[in-house]
Structure formats: structure tokens, C-alpha cells
Amino acid sequence: MAIPTHSLYIIIGAGIHGISTAYHLALQLKATGKGDGRDIIILDKSVICSGATGIACGVIRNNYFQPAMRELMAHSVNIWESDPETYCYHPVGYMQISCESMRQDVAAIHAQQQAIGYESVLIEGAAGSERYMKGLFSDWRAQGITSVLHEMPGGYANNSSAMYGLAAKAEALGVRIISGITVKALESDNSHAITAVDTDRGRIECDYAVVAAGPWVHSFWEMLD
């Protein structure tokens, strides 16, 4: 299929950020009557999930020390749970099992989870922690554990399968994913807005560009000086 010469939206990178952006943008365009997925193309120098997304651990959780992330992570977990089969998501929950030096931090995470209605259980004390873990795993033997935070939502996803599932959802909305295409330069106008993407397979004009290149983002900053 020929490379287009113009696309309203160009997204660079076919990892989780790029494909997710395309999918949700396509949904929003359709919902607001401002277009649909056919207005979006994703460009990737390799293939879907070939960068950092492909080597991520795949854990889906709401266990972070930054309070500002709490509701964002709860929203993210809900998205994974909305279509577990397509996203190859396994809702087994998540546990943080910690020693005494981490107990206060774990308790703070639990309190923040409770404040937003995120279902989790906190067990404190060595005896209580051991009893709780042996209730789940009869052969539990770890020593020095004084807190267990058990998140009931969450789990893990298989990276590549999840991304190909998400890509299929995006493509079903009309999004086009072009693999094996390398971005060489970004053109901008006097306002510094990107107006075109130059690739090794031709120049593509655009109204909006989203750079979702993960660890390679520094090369795009260099293109923009």
C-alpha cells in the first residue's frame, strides 16, 4: 500500500504509548464528530512492540509512592480489565510483601488506595503477615516480613499479545499502522508547530504530530533543535 502524502494526525512509535494514543484519539474523534481513525497513522521504524514496550515487565498495579499517580493508575487498571481477552491480561491481583523498613511506606500507599476506593488489604506485623501468606501459600517460608499489601485488582499482561490486541482495536477504527518506516526529519513552521514528517519512504504532511518513541525521543528533540 502506498505511503500517504498527508495525514491529519501522525503518531511516531508503535509501542504502548503510540498505539494507545491512536486508539483513544480515534474513539474521541468519532464521539465528537470530528473525524475517525482514518485520520490517524502510526509510523514505526521496526514493528509493533519492538522497543521498550516489548521488554517491560507487564505488571498491572496501583502500587506507587507518588500520590498524584493513584487515580491515574486506578483508571489504567480499569482499562486493562475492560477487555482482558484482547489485552491478554491476567487479573491475579498484586502483592507487596515487605520488611519492617518499608512498613510505613506500604501503609501510606494503602491509605491512599482506600481514599479513592481502590480495593486492597493491609496486613501488619510479622505474625499476621505470616498467617495471611500461609493462608494463600501453605509452603510460605520467607522470614522478616512485617507487612503485606494485597491489591485485589491488577495482575499482569503478556506484552506482545497485548499490543497486537490493542493494535487490532485501533485498526478496526480505521487507524493505519505503517511498519518499517524511519523518520529522518521533522519540518516545522514559524510557530514551531510540526507540519510534515520526512521519512525514508517519503514526506508526509500533517496537522498534528505525536512523538511516542520512548527511549529514542532524544533524537526527535535533536531534529527540533
Side-chain angles (χ1 to χ4, degrees), residues 26 80 84 145 173:
W80 285 98
I145 304 302
L173 294 173

Side-chain angles (χ1 to χ4, degrees), residues 96-99 103 106 122-125 129 145-149:
Q96 180 171 348
I97 305 161
S98 308
C99 59
R103 193 205 292 205
V106 173
L122 175 66
I123 309 299
E124 295 189 86
S129 296
I145 304 302
T146 63
S147 65
V148 175
L149 177 59

Side-chain angles (χ1 to χ4, degrees), residues 40-209:
I40 306 166
I41 60 172
I42 301 174
L43 308 178
D44 197 282
K45 66 180 180 180
S46 186
V47 295
I48 292 171
C49 195
S50 61
T53 298
I55 59 173
C57 66
V59 173
I60 314 300
R61 64 179 187 173
N62 194 359
N63 191 279
Y64 294 88
F65 289 107
Q66 301 90 347
M69 292 184 68
R70 196 74 55 223
E71 294 188 43
L72 176 62
M73 292 301 103
H75 174 71
S76 177
V77 172
N78 286 338
I79 290 176
W80 285 98
E81 295 189 337
S82 70
D83 193 350
E85 183 175 356
T86 298
Y87 296 146
C88 205
Y89 167 69
H90 307 272
V92 297
Y94 178 84
M95 302 183 78
Q96 180 171 348
I97 305 161
S98 308
C99 59
E100 182 61 24
S101 63
M102 296 183 66
R103 193 205 292 205
Q104 287 186 338
D105 288 336
V106 173
I109 293 173
H110 176 254
Q112 293 164 12
Q113 291 175 341
Q114 297 306 293
I116 64 168
Y118 193 83
E119 185 183 4
S120 62
V121 173
L122 175 66
I123 309 299
E124 295 189 86
S129 296
E130 182 176 9
R131 188 163 51 249
Y132 188 83
M133 293 308 302
K134 283 188 174 179
L136 297 172
F137 307 102
S138 60
D139 59 345
W140 180 260
R141 297 182 182 181
Q143 300 296 308
I145 304 302
T146 63
S147 65
V148 175
L149 177 59
H150 189 175
E151 301 178 17
M152 304 310 174
Y156 70 96
N158 299 99
N159 301 27
S160 296
S161 297
M163 288 306 96
Y164 277 96
L166 180 58
K169 289 167 76 84
E171 290 175 322
L173 294 173
V175 175
R176 182 179 172 191
I177 301 174
I178 304 175
S179 301
I181 184 169
T182 301
V183 174
K184 297 292 189 181
L186 301 174
E187 298 180 17
S188 57
D189 59 19
N190 293 333
S191 68
H192 304 293
I194 296 173
T195 56
V197 174
D198 292 315
T199 79
D200 61 351
R201 294 167 64 182
R203 178 176 178 273
I204 310 172
E205 295 182 350
C206 63
D207 292 51
Y208 300 93

Side-chain angles (χ1 to χ4, degrees), residues 11-26:
I11 298 173
I12 302 170
I16 190 168
H17 289 115
I19 300 175
S20 181
T21 297
Y23 173 63
H24 290 285
L25 175 58

